[in-house]
Amino acid sequence: MSRLRLTELPAIEAVAAASWNALVGDDHPFLRHEFLHALEASGAVSPATGWTPRHLTLWRGETLVGLLPHYHKQHSFGEYVFDWAWAEAWEQAGGRYYPKGLSAIPFTPAPGPRLALAADVDPLAARRRLAEAWEAGELSSWHLLFAEPAEVAAWRAACPELIPRHGVQFQWHDRGYGDFAGFLGALTSKRRKAIRRERRRVAEQGLTLHRLEGEAIGDADLAHFFRCYQLTYLERGRPGYLNADFFARLRRTLPEALLLVQARLDGKPVAAALCLQGRRTLYGRYWGSEVLADGLHFEACYYQGIEHCLARGLSRFDPGTQGEHKLARGFAPCRLTSLHHIADPRLRAGVARFCAEERDHVEAYVAATQAALPLRAMS
């Protein structure tokens, strides 16, 4: 077999969408050409925002046979696996941490595939070929974030020097519930009553919930959602990472992946949550509200998503990062692993120690949250 040719692309539009998507498939919307192109074409991802695309691709002749999203980063915003302390320590020691290499989906802490290969490509050879991109010495480090467990294992086999870092998210899995009543029936009596009370309280405030999919999401719906999304960030003192053009492009090019949960008061939309969906998984991502209402966030961002999964036969609901409050609503802890290549041996040793110590805390946290999960079958 001829040696794979490694090429860095300065923009995703440098490769045809059909060629990219033929390797990616349709189960994970964030890796699709349309999603990544919307980020770049809208300007949300660009050198000006600290994200310089350097997508790594493998070719056999003129045929694309492998791809890995890759960026040169000038900061660590929008990643959700925090290495600010590493950067500060290294720069105080006289080193230069940025630019660094990053293989992840910008602003999207959703576990999923990162490397896509043609069926006849040797995965071990492909990973070793790709590693040449960050082993050349230009970058201080390379980071693989939110990859799936099988991919993490394959990378560690190909590149044993990669340092694993462990984390936790909360996800919902369908255990054969059938419908929302079946899901509630699997919970402890206390949690079942609490969820019913939360949902009832939303209705008592005059709020109604509506799920819009794909082309049913109109211009006004999207504009209202974006106002709500911006409000969420402005409450923290900064604008959102993503702009209106990004969401408009997404609706235009990837409508089948979109689910908009809209809350209305007297028929007028007042809050919204925008999710993406693949063939098996719903991903809760963006939320905002123009009103303060008891329980509305839980209803729009969690319970409506669970109902949607049960109605559409989706087996998993990833509602986003962080939040122990998800545990009480049936979302179980899920271990995550990121991988890190650190070029300088001094920094590498410090990062390895940090990650080893952090793992003990993560394992204790997972054990505690699993014990607290309010599923009757696990009590």
Side-chain angles (χ1 to χ4, degrees), residues 19-37:
S19 298
W20 184 281
N21 288 338
L23 297 180
V24 170
D26 60 359
D27 189 46
H28 192 73
F30 306 111
L31 195 56
R32 288 185 63 84
H33 192 280
E34 295 91 340
F35 188 90
L36 297 173
H37 183 267

Side-chain angles (χ1 to χ4, degrees), residues 262-317:
Q262 190 178 79
R264 299 174 188 168
L265 183 64
D266 296 329
K268 177 183 176 182
V270 294
L274 185 65
C275 306
L276 278 83
Q277 56 190 339
R279 285 189 293 111
R280 293 185 292 269
T281 305
L282 179 69
Y283 303 91
R285 296 265 66 87
Y286 319 106
W287 150 260
S289 178
E290 297 173 317
V291 298
L292 293 175
D294 290 347
L296 180 56
H297 176 261
F298 300 138
E299 178 66 39
C301 295
Y302 304 146
Y303 304 142
Q304 287 292 318
I306 291 173
E307 282 193 342
H308 180 79
C309 287
L310 291 166
R312 293 289 185 268
L314 303 177
S315 59
R316 182 166 64 108
F317 179 17

Side-chain angles (χ1 to χ4, degrees), residues 1 22-23 60 64-66 116-123:
M1 185 179 294
L23 297 180
R60 188 180 295 129
L64 179 69
V65 295
L117 298 172
D120 61 346
V121 172
D122 179 355

Side-chain angles (χ1 to χ4, degrees), residues 121-136:
V121 172
D122 179 355
L124 183 62
R127 286 180 170 83
R128 287 178 174 167
R129 187 78 173 96
L130 288 164
E132 296 175 12
W134 53 82
E135 290 174 347

Side-chain angles (χ1 to χ4, degrees), residues 34-77:
E34 295 91 340
F35 188 90
L36 297 173
H37 183 267
L39 287 170
E40 295 181 22
S42 67
V45 166
S46 71
T49 62
W51 296 77
T52 301
R54 287 289 186 271
H55 302 305
L56 301 177
T57 56
L58 297 172
W59 301 78
R60 188 180 295 129
E62 298 303 312
T63 302
L64 179 69
V65 295
L67 59 90
L68 179 69
H70 186 239
Y71 305 89
H72 288 190
K73 288 292 304 295
Q74 300 294 338
H75 52 66
S76 294
F77 289 109

